[in-house]
Amino acid sequence: MKNTVSGNGNGRHAEIAGAGFAGLTAAAALARRGWTVRVHEQGPELREQGAGIVLWHNSLKVLQAIGAYDQALADSMTPPYYETRVQGASVSHEHFDGLPWRTMTRPHLHKTLLDAALRAGAEIHTGSRVVSADPRGTVTLASGETLTADLVVGADGVKSQVRDSIGFTQDRWKTRDGITRFLVPRHKDELGPGEWDNVIDFWNLEPRYLRVLYVPCNDRELYIALGAPAADEQGSRTPIDLDLWTSVFPELTPVLRSAAKAADPRYYGYQTTVVDEWSAGAVALVGDAAHAMCPALAQGAGCAMANAYTLAVAASEAPDGEIEESLVRWGELERPITDRCQQRSADYAATRGMAQGNQFTVENLETARYDPTDPDRHSVSA
């Protein structure tokens, strides 16, 4: 796919590796500020392979800022409550005191961000793999072609070639648990009486740990994430062991049956990546390339989109010849809130502490409440 850049520009050009949430957010935000932007997606087509997602106030503000909010809301929902159940008993119903949040499918969010980037004038190149980058502002493609830019954005995921080719210092670790994600029909009529419009976090802690995160995304589609330790061969098996899961969560039998029929399901281990610096020269990292995190607080995509947006603002506001310095300042300003969220998410994943219920405290909602589009956001302490 290619959309030719047109219109008046600011004379600056960006090369972006990765057409996921972070890359497309950066592309839309930069192009709206007059940059010419080229996004490289190594896959042969543009598509989001994930299932569902929860977005909070921070990422919803980004969608508003890049002109994508109305499209995102058109096929999504705000559940009445985030409910937690342990061993079949409800232990909490959280509504977040009016804090905006939204559930949707990941393909819908991806299409929304892609459309925003294209409307802004970004070029999207599929089948184009970035294999290395240079802090002086170049990317090299698998074809051997080298491209020059004022800004290079590494939004190419946990296995980032941009990050690893430059040699950013990083620490990476996995936890004991992981999930298998599915999009299935809602099956509301078959589930029987209950609050099936809620997000429901089902925890089974004894005699073995198994978890189902139930997330309605719209009137038709349901996202479920089946959690199990990587060491549990039966629980982490794909395709899923339907007898096991329905024996533990019999109330979810209709949706679990649909999950058992899914094509090519994959089990994903929880992973955390901490990079010492988010930039080197004219190269900046965003999303999982910079700060992959466990999904306990549902902020992986939120932090990716927020940091991609603020990166675009910082680079655009940098005077000529000072983009590198601006990237350093951007990292210093933005990463503390992401670091705290990443650490909290890792701690909850390690302890399975979200099973206690009522864990979306003011402290744990710090990142969700953050407004990356507020120019005065750093004048008040987090």
Side-chain angles (χ1 to χ4, degrees), residues 246-264:
T246 55
S247 70
V248 177
F249 303 103
E251 65 271 53
L252 295 177
T253 294
V255 297
L256 291 168
R257 284 175 179 161
S258 289
K261 300 174 184 177
D264 193 29

Side-chain angles (χ1 to χ4, degrees), residues 266-313:
R266 298 182 182 181
Y267 175 86
Y268 296 90
Y270 292 166
Q271 181 167 300
T272 300
T273 301
V274 178
V275 181
D276 281 4
E277 303 292 339
W278 284 2
S279 68
V283 177
L285 304 177
V286 290
D288 284 351
H291 45 72
M293 66 180 71
C294 299
L297 298 178
Q299 274 297 338
C303 288
M305 292 168 62
N307 291 329
Y309 177 81
T310 56
L311 166 65
V313 173

